[in-house]
Amino acid sequence: MNLAFVAQVVLVLLVCEQRVDSSYKRGFGMYYNYYECGDTYALNNTYWWYNWHYNFTKDVTYHCPRRTRGEYLPMIANEADTLDAEIPPESKYVLGFNEPNEADHMSPEWCAELWPRVEKIAGGRILVSPALAACDIYPDMCIDWYERFFKACPGCRVDKIAVHGYHCVPYELLQSLGKISSHFNRPIWLTEFACHGNVSSQDQINFMNIALPLLEQASFVERYAWFSQRNKQATTFMPNFSSNLLNLKSPTLTSVGLFYNDYK
Ligand SMILES: *[C@@H]1O[C@H](CO)[C@@H](O)[C@H](O)[C@H]1NC(C)=O
Ligand SMILES: *[C@@H]1O[C@H](CO)[C@@H](O)[C@H](O)[C@H]1NC(C)=O
Ligand SMILES: *[C@@H]1O[C@H](CO)[C@@H](O)[C@H](O)[C@H]1NC(C)=O
Ligand SMILES: *[C@@H]1O[C@H](CO)[C@@H](O)[C@H](O)[C@H]1NC(C)=O
């Protein structure tokens, strides 16, 4: 066998291993305070969702039938969850801490110290790293954070790297994701994204129109989740609800939701 042929086979194997069916990538964050019965059914062409918690029934209010569609992914969001979380038996994945770098509320070293508990709760399931905020604009800050985390626990098991980013320029977002992925040689899960700021629904759709094909095509992006199905809390970062996939009071798609759900 000549070497060029071997190299080609290896390349094909690598590419195949990294490739994911695009339909598996798309998901959304289910904002837990604002669940309406039927939300998951309205987004019937998305594959997965999560709610920053490990218990999906937590959000399914008592008047709702406890039925949802799509793959639900549990999260061990914070230190308290490491004490008592129970993972639904059918889950294949477990998501790690939510934005520990936000206001530095959990240091990488502290997350590393807690990680063995996360591993124990997760059992043999695929483990997704703590999800860091602002990796779109500060990829190097995120790389430093994960470096410190891995240095503090070289034996810790992390199968995927999760990041958040609200960049409105899709190419720059993708560039940051690629940089982080190649640094740690792990696939990226973009578990929160949207275009931030005082922008319109049309701006969100224009953003998705460029960002979704890039995310689908990028072999280093395994999953992505829009923020969020419904938000009712205005912040200076997101002053209005233009990124909402679903209408405020009913489980029906907004124009943004229609675009996200229908994207092929
Ligand atoms: C999703 O629901 C809409 C409205 O009921 C329907 O027209 C569409 O075919 C469904 N799509 C899928 C993928 O099930
Ligand atoms: C999930 O939440 C529901 C409703 O609050 C509760 O009845 C159930 O025991 C919880 N399950 C776990 C595993 O915590
Ligand atoms: C958002 O923009 C609109 C019009 O462009 C303006 O009326 C509104 O005050 C802005 N809101 C914030 C929070 O900046
Ligand atoms: C959000 O702000 C944009 C830009 O000012 C505006 O066009 C849009 O109507 C606002 N949306 C909502 C839901 O307030």
Side-chain angles (χ1 to χ4, degrees), residues 75-87:
M75 174 183 262
I76 297 178
N78 47 46
E79 184 181 351
D81 288 355
T82 67
L83 300 175
D84 61 3
E86 285 175 43
I87 302 303

Side-chain angles (χ1 to χ4, degrees), residues 75-223:
M75 174 183 262
I76 297 178
N78 47 46
E79 184 181 351
D81 288 355
T82 67
L83 300 175
D84 61 3
E86 285 175 43
I87 302 303
E90 68 277 14
S91 297
K92 294 197 191 91
Y93 301 88
V94 173
L95 304 171
F97 305 126
N98 185 54
E99 300 197 342
N101 63 331
E102 184 62 30
D104 287 329
H105 76 277
M106 288 167 89
S107 71
E109 289 76 19
W110 181 233
C111 289
E113 197 165 322
L114 295 172
W115 201 253
R117 291 196 213 162
V118 174
E119 286 185 14
K120 190 161 174 230
I121 294 166
R125 294 175 178 86
I126 296 168
L127 262 177
V128 184
S129 76
L132 299 190
C135 298
D136 51 333
I137 25 178
Y138 304 116
D140 293 331
M141 177 270 293
C142 289
I143 288 173
D144 283 351
W145 195 99
Y146 289 123
E147 291 273 16
R148 280 173 58 189
F149 174 85
F150 286 121
K151 194 166 168 228
C153 62
C156 282
R157 185 165 67 82
V158 169
D159 303 308
K160 322 282 180 188
I161 300 275
V163 299
H164 293 168
Y166 289 87
H167 209 309
C168 295
V169 183
Y171 298 103
E172 289 176 12
L173 169 65
L174 266 287
Q175 209 168 26
S176 296
L177 302 183
K179 186 174 187 184
I180 297 166
S181 174
S182 62
H183 190 91
F184 295 104
N185 194 26
R186 285 174 174 83
I188 292 289
W189 285 37
L190 176 62
T191 50
E192 282 186 22
F193 80 116
C195 170
H196 80 283
N198 193 7
V199 299
S200 66
S201 305
Q202 190 55 48
D203 293 329
Q204 298 289 358
I205 290 171
N206 295 345
F207 167 74
M208 280 182 183
N209 193 34
I210 311 276
L212 298 184
L214 292 175
L215 291 167
E216 287 294 338
Q217 284 154 22
S219 58
F220 53 84
V221 175
E222 243 180 44
R223 301 251 183 160

Side-chain angles (χ1 to χ4, degrees), residues 24-42:
Y24 291 128
K25 288 193 184 185
R26 188 163 61 242
F28 62 93
M30 172 76 84
Y31 210 104
Y32 43 81
N33 293 330
Y34 308 133
Y35 178 81
E36 298 284 338
C37 307
D39 277 1
T40 59
Y41 290 95

